[in-house]
Amino acid sequence: MRGNVFAVTVELVVLTVRDDELSVLLVRRDMAPHAGELALPGGFVRPQEDLLDTAARELAEGTGLALPGHHLEQLGSYAAPDRDPRGRVLGVGHLALVPAGSLGAEPVGGQWYPVDATGPLAFDHAAILADGVERARAKLEYTTLAASFCPEPMTVTQLRRVYEAVWGVSIDPRNFNRKVTSTPGFLLPTEERTSSGRGRPAQLFKRGPATVLHPPMLREPPAQ
Amino acid sequence: MRGNVFAVTVELVVLTVRDDELSVLLVRRDMAPHAGELALPGGFVRPQEDLLDTAARELAEGTGLALPGHHLEQLGSYAAPDRDPRGRVLGVGHLALVPAGSLGAEPVGGQWYPVDATGPLAFDHAAILADGVERARAKLEYTTLAASFCPEPMTVTQLRRVYEAVWGVSIDPRNFNRKVTSTPGFLLPTEERTSSGRGRPAQLFKRGPATVLHPPMLREPPAQ
DNA sequence: GTCGCTAGCGTCATTCTGACGACAAGCCGG
DNA sequence: CCGGCTTGTCGTCAGAATGACGCTAGCGAC
């Protein structure tokens, strides 16, 4: 096993939808290597920690967000031999989806950036971010994860704006309404309605128990 | 970084369809720990190797199969603190799909087992196997990966048997035929037909350039 | 030839979706 | 108070895709 010695880190792709834009939480590095550059939050796995434990701890330390209550899943591992100048470091990317406004405007030690306007990132974090964004986009098709981006309770329009922001498309409100309200367990209706704001008050919903969306809500196939 | 020291292995879930059964390549361990038990093939990542390089090398060593030409993708990482009694070992699971008959009946140093009749496996390999099988089942829905299980050239019936074996369902041959032949780029027709065998000769196809299947071919949603 | 088998075409009803029209129910400015 | 604006919600209709299934084509076995 000599030579097969790695340090293992967890990197977090924390996504939210702010101002109708899919955004990612980035931190500015204050230590070498890549000091001063933007990077995904993350850190080293501790001796007795499992990967998701590390990810949840880093999420809490970096943002104050606690599990359970937020979606967190593993994306994959990145281990190119030259990805870290300090030596052999394997990074395990994770994806977290959090509702808008669950952090202050300026979260602890980080800042929100639209996912397609981050500029260059440290290490191979741009690739990890791209994989996380693509995972999120794909999962909206066949799961109910979009609701994880919305605070509770939510309106159908809020949920639709999530899809529109994540996919970068516009969706017909009437067809979207039909789809999500006719999918059992996606949205649980409450008796309440929005009180203020322009237009007709909207019914408020909570997240339902369903996790899969069948049949799925398909994007147009990415032009090949 | 003291304490954050891992050995990193790659584990392979090599799947094929043999005799209408989804099967996995397993090896019997000859060294401790777990000597004598069945396990996924795999091994340690070498100092200058990337993960997919290691996986491709182990695939070649264990089966004689060479990339390119076979599907290989990363599944995810497994790093529970107690998953290996030798110490902290992070395993990166990979999924490979190979056509039936591309190995001899008894591949080098391994043997095929139906995925739901393996018995217990060493380490946490049962969990990795389960994740690999579920990944394969899901990907048949929205990609053209099923063709990776078929030798070239293939018939539509061979492809249908792959779906039936992987999903454990039966599919109407006529509807299946309509679906796969009307999807541009899934199957490229050739001028040849099967020569021997019972029944009417079938047209032979090669794999087309398409990788995604749109619209997808949906399984019944797993009963929740 | 006739039977059994597999391949592959066509038909029809149902479901789901995209593209709308229409109305409901609040605010706002006169 | 009233008409316009905004947003939410229901309904209609055509087209696409699918599930169920009839029917014929073309081979080997007998």
Side-chain angles (χ1 to χ4, degrees):
Chain A
M1 273 166 57
R2 178 72 48 87
N4 183 265
V5 174
F6 287 70
V8 176
T9 63
V10 159
E11 273 88 39
L12 283 171
V13 178
V14 186
L15 298 180
T16 195
V17 174
R18 294 196 335 145
D19 302 331
D20 294 338
E21 278 189 320
L22 181 63
S23 302
V24 59
L25 183 69
L26 298 178
V27 299
R28 200 165 286 282
R29 288 183 59 81
D30 55 359
M31 293 187 304
H34 296 285
E37 296 181 30
L38 284 174
L40 298 174
F44 289 98
V45 178
R46 293 183 179 167
Q48 290 302 312
E49 261 179 347
D50 201 350
L51 297 171
L52 277 179
D53 297 334
T54 304
R57 175 175 57 77
E58 296 284 347
L59 184 64
E61 290 178 1
T63 67
L65 296 172
L67 296 175
H70 300 287
H71 180 77
L72 179 62
E73 66 176 283
Q74 187 188 119
L75 275 175
S77 293
Y78 301 80
D82 58 351
R83 68 182 289 273
D84 191 316
R86 290 168 292 186
R88 204 70 207 269
V89 180
L90 182 145
V92 188
H94 287 72
L95 176 66
L97 308 183
V98 308
S102 59
L103 289 70
E106 299 297 317
V108 183
Q111 195 175 339
W112 294 112
Y113 293 81
V115 291
D116 47 4
T118 64
L121 301 184
F123 304 105
D124 54 0
H125 289 190
I128 304 176
L129 171 60
D131 289 348
V133 168
E134 178 48 35
R135 175 81 64 98
R137 287 183 173 143
K139 279 214 159 188
L140 289 208
E141 293 198 72
Y142 57 94
T143 72
T144 61
L145 268 184
S148 298
F149 282 117
C150 294
E152 258 184 319
M154 74 195 83
T155 68
V156 174
T157 295
Q158 284 178 294
L159 188 64
R160 177 168 50 84
R161 294 215 191 286
V162 166
Y163 275 92
E164 293 179 329
V166 174
W167 286 349
V169 299
S170 67
I171 301 175
D172 185 283
R174 296 156 292 188
N175 292 335
F176 183 82
N177 209 304
R178 175 181 60 192
K179 175 69 177 176
V180 298
T181 57
S182 70
T183 299
F186 194 171
L187 293 181
L188 298 180
T190 71
E191 296 304 315
E192 297 171 71
R193 322 193 133 258
T194 51
S195 51
S196 74
R198 285 181 308 192
R200 173 176 168 177
Q203 191 174 8
L204 288 167
F205 295 84
K206 295 193 168 185
R207 299 183 195 114
T211 57
V212 296
L213 200 50
H214 187 88
M217 198 176 321
L218 298 174
R219 297 178 278 180
E220 284 313 299
Q224 57 181 2
Chain B
M1 273 168 53
R2 179 70 51 85
N4 183 264
V5 174
F6 288 70
V8 176
T9 63
V10 158
E11 273 88 38
L12 283 171
V13 178
V14 186
L15 298 180
T16 196
V17 175
R18 294 195 336 146
D19 302 330
D20 294 341
E21 277 189 319
L22 182 63
S23 301
V24 59
L25 183 68
L26 298 177
V27 298
R28 201 165 286 281
R29 288 183 58 81
D30 55 359
M31 293 187 305
H34 297 285
E37 297 182 28
L38 284 174
L40 298 174
F44 289 99
V45 177
R46 292 182 180 167
Q48 291 303 315
E49 261 178 347
D50 201 351
L51 297 171
L52 277 179
D53 298 333
T54 304
R57 175 175 57 77
E58 296 283 348
L59 182 65
E61 291 178 2
T63 67
L65 296 172
L67 296 176
H70 299 287
H71 179 77
L72 180 61
E73 67 176 284
Q74 188 188 117
L75 274 175
S77 294
Y78 303 80
D82 58 351
R83 69 181 287 273
D84 192 316
R86 290 168 292 187
R88 204 70 206 268
V89 180
L90 181 145
V92 187
H94 286 74
L95 176 66
L97 308 183
V98 308
S102 58
L103 289 70
E106 299 296 316
V108 183
Q111 195 175 339
W112 295 112
Y113 293 81
V115 292
D116 48 4
T118 63
L121 302 185
F123 304 105
D124 53 1
H125 289 190
I128 303 175
L129 172 60
D131 289 349
V133 169
E134 179 48 35
R135 175 80 65 97
R137 287 183 173 143
K139 279 215 158 186
L140 290 208
E141 292 196 73
Y142 57 93
T143 71
T144 62
L145 269 183
S148 299
F149 281 117
C150 294
E152 256 182 322
M154 73 195 84
T155 67
V156 174
T157 295
Q158 284 179 295
L159 188 64
R160 178 169 49 85
R161 295 215 191 287
V162 166
Y163 275 91
E164 293 179 329
V166 175
W167 286 348
V169 299
S170 66
I171 300 176
D172 185 283
R174 296 156 292 188
N175 293 334
F176 183 83
N177 210 304
R178 176 182 59 194
K179 174 70 178 175
V180 298
T181 58
S182 70
T183 299
F186 193 171
L187 293 181
L188 297 180
T190 71
E191 296 304 315
E192 297 171 71
R193 321 194 131 258
T194 50
S195 51
S196 73
R198 284 178 308 192
R200 172 178 169 178
Q203 192 175 7
L204 288 167
F205 296 84
K206 294 192 170 185
R207 299 182 196 114
T211 56
V212 296
L213 199 53
H214 186 88
M217 197 176 323
L218 297 174
R219 296 178 280 180
E220 284 312 301
Q224 56 179 3

